[in-house]
Amino acid sequence: MHQPYSQRLIGALGPAQARLLGGLALASLVALPIMHLLPESHALHVSAYTLTLAGKILCYAIVALAMDLVWGYTGLLSLGHGLFFALGGYGMGMYLMRQIGRDGNYQSDLPDFMVFLDWKTLPWYWQGTDSFVWSMLLVVLVPGLLALGFGWLAFRSRIKGVYFSIMTQALTFAAMLLFFRNETGFGGNNGFTDFKRILGFPVAAPATRAVLFLLTVLLLVLALYGGWKLTRSKFGRILTAVRDAESRLMFCGYNPLGYKLFIWVLSAVICGVAGALYVPQVGIINPSEMSPGNSIEIAIWVAVGGRGTLIGPLLGAGLINLAKSWFTVAFPEYWLFFLGFLFIAVTLFLPRGVMGLLTRKGAST
Amino acid sequence: MSPRTDAATGEDFGWEGEATGLARPVDASQLDTRHGDILYLDDITVSFDGFRALNKLTLDIAVGELRCIIGPNGAGKTTMMDVITGKTRPDAGTAFFGQTIDLTRLNEPTIAQIGIGRKFQKPTVFEAMTVAENLEIALKTDKSVWASLRARLSGQQRDRIDELLGLIRLGEQRQREAGLLSHGQKQWLEIGMLLAQEPKLLLLDEPVAGMTDAETEKTAELLLTLKGKHSLMVVEHDMAFVGAIAEKVTVLAEGSVLAEGSLAQVQADERVIEVYLGR
């Protein structure tokens, strides 16, 4: 039983205030990359570190939103969403590796790690990755088709609940082991790094960073708007019906398979695109992105922010990752304990997450 | 008379007039009740780990009939509904909806779409949605993903929802979250959702469980108005309620039909008294 709390929050705040808050948040996100372009001596200059951190968190926020669509609204707890994010990242990473050209350490047409492995030609699945358009197709198609195949098998067999969660976890773990192997052809445990250019522009230049950041903001806004429209349509109500009473829905004449597949694939594709924006900003992609822990963390962002609220998961991803970047500097060894404690505390005391807290405050005033 | 075409391929058979006997082309997409019955269960057997939940069950329901099913716990009442609605596949036997539709080959959503509605023993509604939204979801319409993505309520559908709200007496609760309704109101909402599907056959599993006497009485009235327009199969333990609505009662025991007749007849049956009423 989860209502759209975001709607209630807006009810408590009043639409004018909600619009003001949203506008302020958007304005500051647009201002950040512009401030990065100011000369370093300027008082308002934003460092590359800060911008990269903010861009990374925005990518995570998009993943949290995609997770909320399948978990918060449809009741499918995925513990493997990091896989779709990483696959999108690898798609972009392949293109960025090809863009290095002969500027690598070995001055070869092949990516450095292939030279190191003494490979003479590109593997077939690297063909065409020098084309930006083809690579972007891979970013969408690979997570999308994997989700389609996996989802079709799982939903057709009516696998639900904890069994579904365990299978998604196993899927990302298996993929991680596969990508760790050097022979797989994705750089083994080092993954891809040392990127030089994207579409010919230097990847670390302030202007490139600013554009990538703005694209991330754009994707976030689009995903939020799309998610908002979707969850308020009849389609969205049927998703909550799948979550709350799937057998009733079937006896109403709906086949849940198509509904689950649609939202599951959409969510995977959103994660893939977020991963593709993440890689050029952060400058590295490796198989640790597929580790089970990463995917569990995504679920924690959503739980902390508030399931089934769209806005909550964005807040959850933001708050936890800000806390993480501070914690891992100040008390690196305690971060996982803190994360575990946070998850337990939220489950016990804030079942509706930060959004539940906000709406309660909003309703009482 | 126009030439008949193959329902599946649209191929023209080039025949004139009504074919008869074995030559009659079977159109499995249409409910055919020309023989007067809407549901035929024949020799249905279902076993779970060696336990025979249904044992050569044979049962027919006539068009427009209101049939009550009674029987002790474990007699197979719910399993029978599972077989009819496609949730459980029988190990042996046949289940036909009308003359032509083989229910054992269809899945739950398809069976719901061709006109069999089911109410669960425990009232099951979509608790996070409003009463009106619950009815909207149930309305008879295209239920594919693409249709739902573009769906807008038509004026006709709004009128239908209003009409149903009046029928189930939840007009004043239309904007309430269904999870906040009383137990009896949830039962009614679920019946309303069944009616929204415009089913030809309704299966009601204990529709008055947890209702007050006044609510039970209203439900009996409602079911009696549905009789004739729909065929109904009601599983119930409340004998006063059964007495109020039933013309024909079927007693199930150990997975097969033990007795059939009016309530007075079956209550007088020695075997029924032994297994059920005489406890």
Side-chain angles (χ1 to χ4, degrees):
Chain A
M1 275 228 300
H2 302 279
Q3 269 291 96
Y5 291 101
S6 33
Q7 213 169 26
R8 284 194 195 163
L9 179 69
I10 286 173
L13 281 175
Q17 280 161 299
R19 221 173 292 152
L20 185 71
L21 271 181
L24 275 178
L26 187 63
S28 45
L29 285 179
V30 172
L32 216 55
I34 296 170
M35 285 154 75
H36 176 59
L37 294 177
L38 295 171
E40 263 177 61
S41 52
H42 200 285
L44 288 174
H45 174 76
V46 167
S47 69
Y49 172 79
T50 311
L51 191 72
T52 305
L53 181 66
K56 186 167 117 172
I57 292 177
L58 283 185
C59 291
Y60 288 157
I62 296 165
V63 173
L65 186 102
M67 177 75 166
D68 196 29
L69 289 175
V70 292
W71 186 28
Y73 285 93
T74 322
L76 303 162
L77 171 56
S78 164
L79 293 179
H81 251 48
L83 174 60
F84 303 126
F85 179 76
L87 287 175
Y90 268 98
M92 174 62 101
M94 286 162 94
Y95 169 72
L96 294 174
M97 290 305 274
R98 298 293 296 276
Q99 278 268 301
I100 295 173
R102 286 179 169 264
D103 293 345
N105 288 333
Y106 298 109
Q107 280 107 46
S108 161
D109 280 331
L110 294 182
D112 275 358
F113 74 89
M114 291 188 192
V115 180
F116 190 72
L117 290 172
D118 207 20
W119 290 6
K120 301 296 177 214
T121 52
L122 278 177
W124 61 268
Y125 45 85
W126 277 79
Q127 298 300 330
T129 47
D130 52 336
S131 147
F132 182 74
V133 174
W134 174 245
S135 302
M136 291 309 100
L137 273 175
L138 287 181
V139 162
V140 171
L141 288 179
V142 173
L145 289 176
L146 178 69
L148 185 69
F150 176 84
W152 190 73
L153 290 172
F155 301 144
R156 196 192 50 145
S157 313
R158 300 193 181 171
I159 290 166
K160 287 179 211 169
V162 68
Y163 302 101
F164 180 76
S165 305
I166 291 171
M167 279 176 58
T168 55
Q169 178 98 102
L171 183 71
T172 192
F173 188 64
M176 181 182 75
L177 295 182
L178 181 71
F179 274 67
F180 263 132
R181 295 168 71 246
N182 280 330
E183 303 77 49
T184 311
F186 294 104
N189 59 351
N190 295 318
F192 304 150
T193 190
D194 279 334
F195 307 132
K196 306 273 192 258
R197 281 175 293 272
I198 179 166
L199 288 168
F201 299 102
V203 78
T208 316
R209 284 186 189 282
V211 169
L212 284 168
F213 187 90
L214 286 174
L215 284 174
T216 314
V217 174
L218 181 69
L219 178 66
L220 180 69
V221 171
L222 283 179
L224 188 59
Y225 179 74
W228 181 272
K229 288 298 253 188
L230 200 64
T231 52
R232 260 139 209 83
S233 69
K234 184 184 173 198
F235 178 84
R237 288 197 283 282
I238 292 169
L239 293 184
T240 63
V242 169
R243 178 191 69 196
D244 293 342
E246 190 173 347
S247 56
R248 171 79 271 158
L249 189 70
M250 280 198 282
F251 291 121
C252 281
Y254 293 88
N255 193 344
L257 177 67
Y259 289 86
K260 288 185 189 175
L261 262 186
F262 184 94
I263 200 71
W264 175 248
V265 172
L266 179 69
S267 176
V269 167
I270 295 173
C271 286
V273 179
L277 282 165
Y278 170 90
V279 168
Q281 295 188 75
V282 176
I284 184 165
I285 175 81
N286 62 39
S288 69
E289 296 293 342
M290 299 176 184
S291 74
N294 273 34
S295 293
I296 293 172
E297 223 171 282
I298 297 170
I300 296 178
W301 303 336
V302 176
V304 168
R307 278 173 292 162
T309 62
L310 292 181
I311 294 180
L314 305 184
L315 297 177
L319 289 175
I320 293 183
N321 282 295
L322 281 176
K324 185 180 185 176
S325 56
W326 176 74
F327 242 98
T328 44
V329 174
F331 314 99
E333 59 270 47
Y334 293 113
W335 166 244
L336 282 177
F337 289 104
F338 175 74
L339 193 66
F341 165 79
L342 190 69
F343 192 48
I344 295 169
V346 165
T347 313
L348 286 179
F349 304 114
L350 282 177
R352 286 154 188 184
V354 176
M355 286 304 277
L357 197 68
L358 287 175
T359 44
R360 208 183 309 160
K361 285 251 172 67
S364 64
T365 49
Chain B
M1 194 161 282
S2 62
R4 286 193 165 246
T5 51
D6 186 302
T9 60
E11 188 188 326
D12 194 336
F13 287 151
W15 298 340
E16 291 288 332
E18 187 88 15
T20 54
L22 289 173
R24 186 169 58 87
V26 172
D27 179 3
S29 65
Q30 289 301 312
L31 178 65
D32 176 359
T33 54
R34 272 181 288 177
H35 291 233
D37 279 354
I38 191 161
L39 183 74
Y40 300 84
L41 301 180
D42 194 25
D43 259 351
I44 299 265
T45 299
V46 175
S47 306
F48 298 117
D49 297 326
F51 168 73
R52 290 206 160 184
L54 292 180
N55 190 7
K56 294 180 181 284
L57 175 77
T58 299
L59 187 82
D60 297 344
I61 306 279
V63 174
E65 184 185 355
L66 193 168
R67 176 76 63 91
C68 285
I69 311 279
I70 61 173
N73 286 330
K77 303 181 297 275
T78 301
T79 309
M80 176 180 68
M81 291 201 170
D82 287 347
V83 168
I84 299 169
T85 53
K87 195 176 173 202
T88 302
R89 297 270 177 250
D91 301 324
T94 54
F96 271 85
F97 186 46
Q99 304 291 313
T100 53
I101 302 172
D102 184 355
L103 293 172
T104 59
R105 290 166 181 274
L106 304 175
N107 63 11
E108 296 102 316
T110 316
I111 291 176
Q113 281 168 13
I114 59 174
I116 298 183
R118 177 180 186 179
K119 201 200 84 60
F120 294 100
Q121 198 167 340
K122 180 174 168 284
T124 315
V125 295
F126 305 123
E127 306 219 326
M129 285 181 233
T130 67
V131 169
E133 284 170 343
N134 267 274
L135 293 172
E136 180 204 341
I137 294 273
L139 281 180
K140 186 182 173 79
T141 174
D142 184 353
K143 291 177 173 173
S144 68
V145 172
W146 305 115
S148 298
L149 280 168
R150 285 168 307 170
R152 290 270 178 287
L153 265 188
S154 69
Q156 213 176 355
Q157 288 175 320
R158 261 177 236 284
D159 293 345
R160 177 76 181 132
I161 290 175
D162 288 340
E163 185 191 329
L164 286 163
L165 284 169
L167 196 63
I168 58 174
R169 297 160 209 268
L170 289 176
E172 288 175 12
Q173 321 281 338
R174 65 179 303 152
Q175 292 306 333
R176 267 188 105 190
E177 245 174 78
L180 301 174
L181 297 178
S182 75
H183 190 83
Q185 286 172 322
K186 282 184 193 171
Q187 297 270 42
W188 279 37
L189 175 56
E190 199 178 2
I191 294 173
M193 288 164 73
L194 289 198
L195 295 176
Q197 288 170 245
E198 297 172 24
K200 292 167 186 109
L201 172 65
L202 283 97
L203 311 177
L204 305 169
D205 203 347
E206 301 195 18
V208 296
M211 281 191 181
T212 63
D213 286 351
E215 286 172 330
T216 303
E217 212 172 290
K218 297 240 171 71
T219 308
E221 271 173 44
L222 175 64
L223 295 191
L224 286 172
T225 63
L226 297 176
K227 190 172 76 173
K229 280 181 280 180
H230 307 264
S231 310
L232 293 104
M233 181 194 269
V234 182
V235 166
E236 194 43 78
H237 285 298
D238 183 334
M239 282 305 150
F241 177 71
V242 172
I245 60 170
E247 42 191 26
K248 194 170 173 189
V249 176
T250 299
V251 185
L252 290 191
E254 293 174 2
S256 24
V257 174
L258 186 68
E260 217 164 61
S262 71
L263 185 61
Q265 273 172 345
V266 300
Q267 274 177 325
D269 191 309
E270 288 290 330
R271 293 168 304 164
V272 174
I273 294 168
E274 198 179 312
V275 302
Y276 184 51
L277 298 169
R279 270 191 304 169

